[in-house]
Amino acid sequence: MKEKKNRAFLKWAGGKYKLIEDLKAKLPQGDKLIEPFVGAGSVFLNTDYSRYLLNDINPDLINLYNIVKQQADNYVSDSISLFTAANNAEQRYYEIRQEFNESSDLYERAVFFLYLNRHGYNGLCRYNNSGKFNVPFGRYKAPYYPEHEIHVFSERSQRATFTCTSFEKVFSKARQGAIIYCDPPYAPINKTAMFNSYAKGGFTLDSQVKLADLARRTSENRGIPVLVSNHDTEFTRDIYQGAHITSLQVSRFISQNGNKRLKVAELLALYSQQENL
């Protein structure tokens, strides 16, 4: 009988729910899984390590996870109240988005964050240069409220520590017995995408190279296995030299036409001393 998978309670671009079986087949055994780029947490939710260190550079995301970990019942009762027909309207969405952007109350921001995630366009999480959330209204008939998924996340997160820092600092916290899984912002598929994606900073091509080098050194010098997922391109094949590479074909929506789903080549790069024996 096929094992039932746990879904994340957030919608998330590039989420790993559909790749869980492939990832679990490559993740080594260990007593702690470290994720420098946790995102929606699908890998965390569908693996069974004794402990987890889950990191992301988005403070709203990590704040939300800590609140769900500590007070899931209160969070559900407060956040579900926003999921009404009256609030599923364009003008109301932009009012709540403005309230979120003006709020400095961490609990209030966490409540608004789930509403924006489920009512915003494609579940995107995007901020402007001033740090304001700027995803447009999504126009969904009846956004789903993920009550069950929140409680599952809360229960599992009792063995997790959440942090908000750089991937380099997260790597430095790894000790023997730990496994590191990296799901960074993906490298662009082609040169056109490369220009568009990387012209304004963020996770740059230099960042991709630094991560690959750190993964290799962490495996070679410290004996800690590192698994990285990314697009399968000449660039990524080059920077992941020395890793054991598995190629995958993954279905993705790559246009505004929701029916246009194409296969995209992705890879898993495993840095492990065991692979080199």
Side-chain angles (χ1 to χ4, degrees), residues 46 71 74 88 114 156 171 236:
N46 290 285
Q71 45 181 319
N74 288 341
N88 188 27
L114 179 59
R156 293 187 61 87
F171 267 78
T236 54

Side-chain angles (χ1 to χ4, degrees), residues 21-59:
E21 289 82 5
D22 296 293
L23 285 162
K24 287 174 73 171
K26 292 298 175 185
L27 278 169
Q29 303 258 316
D31 57 26
K32 185 176 188 178
L33 181 65
I34 298 175
E35 293 194 59
F37 310 88
V38 67
S42 288
V43 176
F44 153 62
L45 288 167
N46 290 285
T47 50
D48 192 25
Y49 292 88
S50 299
R51 292 175 297 142
Y52 292 85
L53 174 57
L54 306 175
N55 180 81
D56 202 277
I57 59 165
N58 183 336

Side-chain angles (χ1 to χ4, degrees), residues 165-222:
T165 188
S166 67
F167 70 83
E168 293 95 339
K169 287 185 179 176
V170 178
F171 267 78
S172 73
K173 296 177 182 178
R175 299 292 180 264
Q176 285 295 322
I179 310 299
I180 301 176
Y181 167 59
C182 297
D183 182 29
Y186 274 18
I189 296 177
N190 53 49
K191 289 181 179 178
T192 302
M194 189 176 297
F195 178 79
N196 291 336
S197 301
Y198 288 80
K200 293 183 180 177
F203 202 82
T204 63
L205 296 182
D206 282 345
S207 305
Q208 299 281 359
V209 174
K210 282 181 185 175
L211 176 61
D213 183 57
L214 186 54
R216 178 186 57 77
R217 288 188 286 112
T218 299
S219 171
E220 289 180 0
N221 301 338
R222 302 173 62 199

Side-chain angles (χ1 to χ4, degrees), residues 133-144:
F133 189 88
N134 65 354
V135 176
F137 183 54
R139 303 182 189 284
Y140 299 108
K141 284 187 178 178
Y144 172 69

Side-chain angles (χ1 to χ4, degrees), residues 233-248:
T233 67
E234 285 184 29
F235 171 73
T236 54
R237 289 265 175 173
D238 182 51
I239 65 173
Y240 297 143
Q241 283 184 49
H244 181 269
I245 291 179
T246 304
S247 191
L248 307 167

